Amino acid sequence: MSVTSTTTRLAADVWPSGLTETADGALSLHGHPLGELATSYGTPAYLVDVPDLLARARSFRDEFRAAFEAIGTTCDVFYAGKAFLATPLAKLLDAEGLSLDVCTRGELAVAAKAGFPGARVGVHGNNKSAAEIDAAIDYGVGRIVVDSLEEIERVLTAARSHGVRVPVMLRVKTGVEAHTHEFIATAHEDQKFGFSLSGGQAAEAAAEVLEHPDELQLLGFHSHIGSQIFDSDGFRVAAQRLIAMQLQIAQEHGVVLPELDLGGGFGIAYLPEDEPLAPKDMATQLAAIVRAACEEAQTPVPRVSIEPGRAIVGPAGITLYEVGTVKPVQATDELTRTYISVDGGMSDNPRPALYEADYTATLANRPGSAQTAQSRVVGKHCESGDIVVRNQQLPQDVRPGDLLAVAATGAYCRALSSQYNHVPRPPVLAVDEDGVRTWLRRETIDDLLSLEGE
């Protein structure tokens, strides 16, 4: 659903902490004017505020550790690599002691290139190939999250082939549907991920794994209830059902499962009116939920893990565009909407087209006029749905050559990007007070043509 924002230019929860306004009204990231970055590196470009990203990673690590230690256990924070992954980022997260969640052989290859310890890597995916499972076992990953009975057989075969005991978790559908878009709600029954609790599939899968104790080590159950979650209510129900299932396994098989994964999906602010929970508040609430559920079931408190991705990297990223055309359109009898076309679009951010996702934009090279116009920021692609920001009040004097910054694009923009219309993908530039480093370089036309045969 589209929302029109007319609030503060640099709302603190929306924009990265290192982004400031200079005396002349332009924007600067850790002392680097965005206009100068555009001149040096071109547009569009993804910019990552590295100190902001690290502060968020440390906050999740420290707050969840403290909250769960207070109830007699610990909490491992697995960064969800699907949000955005590159070797330099993996190295930073490793240095901070976080774990890493990957779901393809390509993402595992990034972990390997970064030297990320295998014991702190978890492997997801609803259809892992035999080759991907072999690669994960070769790398010595700390866990494989199994998603089907067929996959249990694949992991079992691979374990026997490698002569090792493989730690696994079972992805389950808890029947909890987070209040989010249908395509990113992942715990209700009618979707592809996991074993059903209510249908008995999870119990069947657990029994199958436990029949092979020499090859498979069942750590526990895993759940992911959705994305952009702003409260802990869904986690409460999911945790209660997971812990009840672990109690059932203990009663039926005499095995106390040591771990529990509550997944990720922690929301961020894309718009000034969004109010996500701070990591400390979410950690305190989830720890209380787990403790209460274990007390009710009279079971030991397991080791817990969570999987934030967007909540760490999303708010730290912005995308910088150059305006190409400005076109007033008579949308209705009462509304004239200004269409502002930029030099990127759905190839570097498909989320508005996929999910009707909302974003916040601002002029980056100057403050603009006090008078605003109802505006829509659109891309350069041959699709009417190529929208970057659906509805926002922007200065009435936006003109070609201006720079626009779009907030909270650190997650799922570069990761979901494409070369649609043969548009090369933008670079990812890591910015801090010491300078600018290229995490991923800009693609070129030569890169596109290099894939073609004779």
Side-chain angles (χ1 to χ4, degrees):
M1 181 177 181
S2 299
V3 178
T4 300
S5 172
T6 58
T7 51
T8 307
R9 185 182 183 196
L10 293 181
D13 288 340
V14 175
W15 298 92
S17 58
L19 190 69
T20 56
E21 194 169 359
T22 62
D24 61 359
L27 299 184
S28 177
L29 187 58
H30 290 292
H32 306 283
L34 299 195
E36 292 183 8
L37 295 180
T39 299
S40 298
Y41 296 95
T43 58
Y46 302 112
L47 309 179
V48 178
D49 182 336
V50 176
D52 184 280
L53 184 154
L54 289 176
R56 295 175 191 278
R58 291 164 182 160
S59 182
F60 271 98
R61 179 196 64 194
D62 296 344
E63 298 296 353
F64 275 83
R65 180 182 296 166
F68 280 87
E69 285 179 351
I71 66 168
T73 186
T74 190
C75 184
D76 300 307
V77 177
F78 282 76
Y79 172 76
K82 64 180 181 176
F84 169 72
L85 190 60
T87 302
L89 174 58
K91 290 180 177 179
L92 289 178
L93 296 172
D94 177 25
E96 295 299 329
L98 273 71
S99 298
L100 179 64
D101 172 53
V102 301
C103 58
T104 64
R105 192 169 183 179
E107 290 180 354
L108 182 61
V110 174
K113 185 177 180 182
F116 207 100
R120 298 211 317 271
V121 174
V123 178
H124 263 92
N126 68 296
N127 187 28
K128 305 175 197 68
S129 68
E132 286 174 321
I133 292 169
D134 281 336
I137 294 174
D138 279 337
Y139 198 64
V141 300
R143 65 190 193 186
I144 296 177
V145 182
V146 178
D147 202 89
S148 66
L149 292 174
E150 291 88 353
E151 197 168 274
I152 292 175
E153 289 302 315
R154 290 177 200 157
V155 177
L156 179 60
T157 298
R160 288 170 174 163
S161 173
H162 289 262
V164 297
R165 188 180 189 218
V166 178
V168 301
M169 300 191 83
L170 298 179
R171 171 79 177 255
V172 299
K173 292 181 279 194
T174 57
V176 179
E177 185 169 358
H179 299 292
T180 186
H181 190 284
E182 176 187 358
F183 292 164
I184 51 177
T186 55
H188 58 284
E189 292 293 332
D190 191 13
Q191 49 88 25
K192 70 178 185 177
F193 292 106
F195 298 96
S196 170
L197 279 179
S198 61
Q201 294 175 348
E204 179 186 356
E208 176 66 22
V209 172
L210 291 171
E211 284 184 8
H212 305 282
D214 294 334
E215 296 92 355
L216 303 176
Q217 177 191 9
L218 182 57
L219 299 177
F221 293 104
H222 175 286
S223 169
H224 184 72
I225 63 174
S227 299
Q228 274 299 89
I229 301 167
F230 283 10
D231 60 57
S232 62
D233 291 345
F235 289 108
R236 181 183 309 278
V237 179
Q240 289 170 342
R241 292 177 181 175
L242 290 171
I243 289 167
M245 187 66 209
Q246 301 212 154
L247 174 61
Q248 179 182 332
I249 296 302
Q251 292 172 337
E252 293 180 358
H253 300 278
V255 176
V256 176
L257 301 180
E259 297 192 26
L260 177 71
D261 193 315
L262 294 175
F266 310 109
I268 67 171
Y270 286 101
L271 305 174
E273 53 265 37
D274 291 337
E275 297 181 346
L277 284 175
K280 181 176 183 178
D281 295 329
M282 185 64 83
T284 301
Q285 292 180 26
L286 291 190
I289 286 168
V290 170
R291 178 175 60 186
C294 289
E295 288 176 350
E296 181 178 350
Q298 297 184 332
T299 63
V301 179
R303 186 185 187 107
V304 174
S305 49
I306 59 166
E307 297 168 359
R310 180 202 318 259
I312 290 175
V313 73
I318 62 176
T319 305
L320 189 61
Y321 298 102
E322 182 177 325
V323 175
T325 64
V326 180
K327 183 189 299 183
V329 173
Q330 193 68 38
T332 67
D333 291 341
E334 296 80 25
L335 173 63
T336 298
R337 178 180 284 120
T338 301
Y339 274 70
I340 301 170
S341 296
V342 296
D343 55 352
M346 65 188 301
S347 62
D348 58 74
N349 185 0
R351 294 188 70 254
L354 287 173
Y355 313 136
E356 297 183 351
D358 288 305
Y359 283 88
T360 300
T362 190
L363 267 177
N365 56 309
R366 60 188 182 88
S369 63
Q371 293 74 36
T372 62
Q374 180 69 32
S375 303
R376 176 165 292 172
V377 181
V378 296
K380 63 182 293 177
H381 300 284
C382 293
E383 298 283 345
S384 58
D386 179 22
I387 295 170
V388 179
V389 179
R390 195 168 301 276
N391 288 311
Q392 188 177 332
Q393 294 291 130
L394 287 171
Q396 203 171 58
D397 64 344
V398 174
R399 55 182 179 260
D402 276 334
L403 298 176
L404 281 183
V406 176
T409 61
Y412 299 109
C413 289
R414 180 56 171 81
L416 287 170
S417 64
S418 72
Q419 298 165 340
Y420 182 49
N421 288 151
H422 274 55
V423 174
R425 285 176 287 196
V428 179
L429 307 173
V431 184
D432 60 19
E433 292 181 354
D434 295 329
V436 181
R437 294 173 301 284
T438 300
W439 276 3
L440 294 171
R441 67 166 174 82
R442 183 183 300 280
E443 287 182 338
T444 66
I445 296 296
D446 286 343
D447 290 327
L448 304 184
L449 298 179
S450 69
L451 300 174
E452 297 189 357
E454 294 297 331

